[in-house]
Amino acid sequence: MREFSYVSRDSRCIASPASAEIACPIAAGQRQVAVLLLSTSLLISAQGGDAVQLRVQGIPTEEFDRLRTGGADAHGQPALIRTAEGVANPCRHCLQHIKEGDDKLVLAYQPFAVRQPYAETGPIFLHREACARYDASTLPEWFTMLDPAAIRGYGADNWIRYETGQVVRGNELASACESILSDDDIAYVHIRSKYGCFQCRVDRD
């Protein structure tokens, strides 16, 4: 969190990372110093540190193929086959929408390799037919439709880090992921819809 003792309307401010201060020119060429209370991550950023690079992926292809060919879901049942209606039917493997009228799979999914107290289970959709796994440095464009979305970070032990939990606008998801993952204690992030449905996992690249 940043706290300012003075805020200038002049955007030509001069940051001094070494002293955690910022100097802004004001009337008659004078300067007034606004002292910033900077977190470590903000100080590193002011010194020109590298921004967090994201890696966004759909669920593993091996898991997708297993579920698509009749494998049991998180509740020990085969996926149900339904016809996609409307446009809000995202496949969690390719992270693209299933076309209206196409078959989709509806199943219970647990996005964790090991069962433990924080391993939530919930409904997801998948393409019935094969598709390419999403693997990119940016979120799919349609994620802006997740408005709002729930986001939270997890530690290496796969437990939720409660201080990271947020509800954000869809167009703020990328910056929220970057902010959470700037903390080395956070291993990855999960993005969920406003209904709590798992959308994808985001890691550092």
Side-chain angles (χ1 to χ4, degrees):
M1 179 181 294
R2 291 180 288 184
E3 296 182 6
F4 296 81
S5 61
Y6 172 79
V7 178
S8 170
R9 293 183 180 179
D10 193 316
S11 62
R12 295 170 297 161
C13 297
I14 301 172
S16 175
S19 60
E21 294 181 348
I22 185 167
C24 299
I26 57 176
Q30 296 177 347
R31 293 179 183 274
Q32 181 158 341
V33 174
V35 178
L36 305 182
L37 301 179
L38 296 173
S39 67
T40 301
S41 60
L42 286 173
L43 186 56
I44 291 172
S45 177
Q47 292 173 323
D50 293 335
V52 174
Q53 300 297 312
L54 304 180
R55 185 173 187 186
V56 184
Q57 294 179 299
I59 70 170
T61 297
E62 296 79 6
E63 184 73 351
F64 170 64
D65 286 340
R66 186 186 69 79
L67 293 166
R68 193 170 60 83
T69 54
D73 68 4
H75 290 329
Q77 301 171 329
L80 300 176
I81 301 173
R82 294 291 185 268
T83 300
E85 298 179 356
V87 296
N89 296 277
C91 172
R92 274 37 170 227
H93 180 246
C94 66
L95 300 189
Q96 302 301 315
H97 286 111
I98 301 167
K99 292 181 180 179
E100 185 171 15
D102 284 357
D103 284 343
K104 68 178 180 181
L105 302 181
V106 184
L107 60 129
Y109 187 68
Q110 189 177 90
F112 299 89
V114 178
R115 291 187 176 182
Q116 38 83 19
Y118 289 96
E120 304 108 313
T121 299
I124 66 167
F125 303 144
L126 293 173
H127 274 112
R128 186 181 183 186
E129 302 300 327
C131 60
R133 185 189 190 191
Y134 189 91
D135 189 344
S137 61
T138 58
L139 296 169
E141 291 184 6
W142 70 265
F143 269 41
T144 56
M145 296 170 56
L146 296 171
D147 199 7
I151 183 172
R152 52 181 174 257
Y154 292 79
D157 57 0
N158 297 308
W159 282 34
I160 295 172
R161 295 298 184 261
Y162 284 105
E163 68 277 10
T164 67
Q166 303 175 47
V167 176
V168 302
R169 305 292 300 268
N171 59 8
E172 298 171 350
L173 276 170
S175 59
C177 289
E178 291 169 0
S179 177
I180 293 172
L181 290 170
S182 68
D183 183 346
D184 290 339
D185 290 335
I186 306 302
Y188 58 91
V189 164
H190 277 179
I191 295 175
R192 294 175 178 267
S193 72
K194 62 184 178 182
Y195 305 109
C197 299
F198 173 77
Q199 301 298 314
C200 73
R201 170 171 163 159
V202 181
D203 292 84
R204 295 181 197 83
D205 195 0

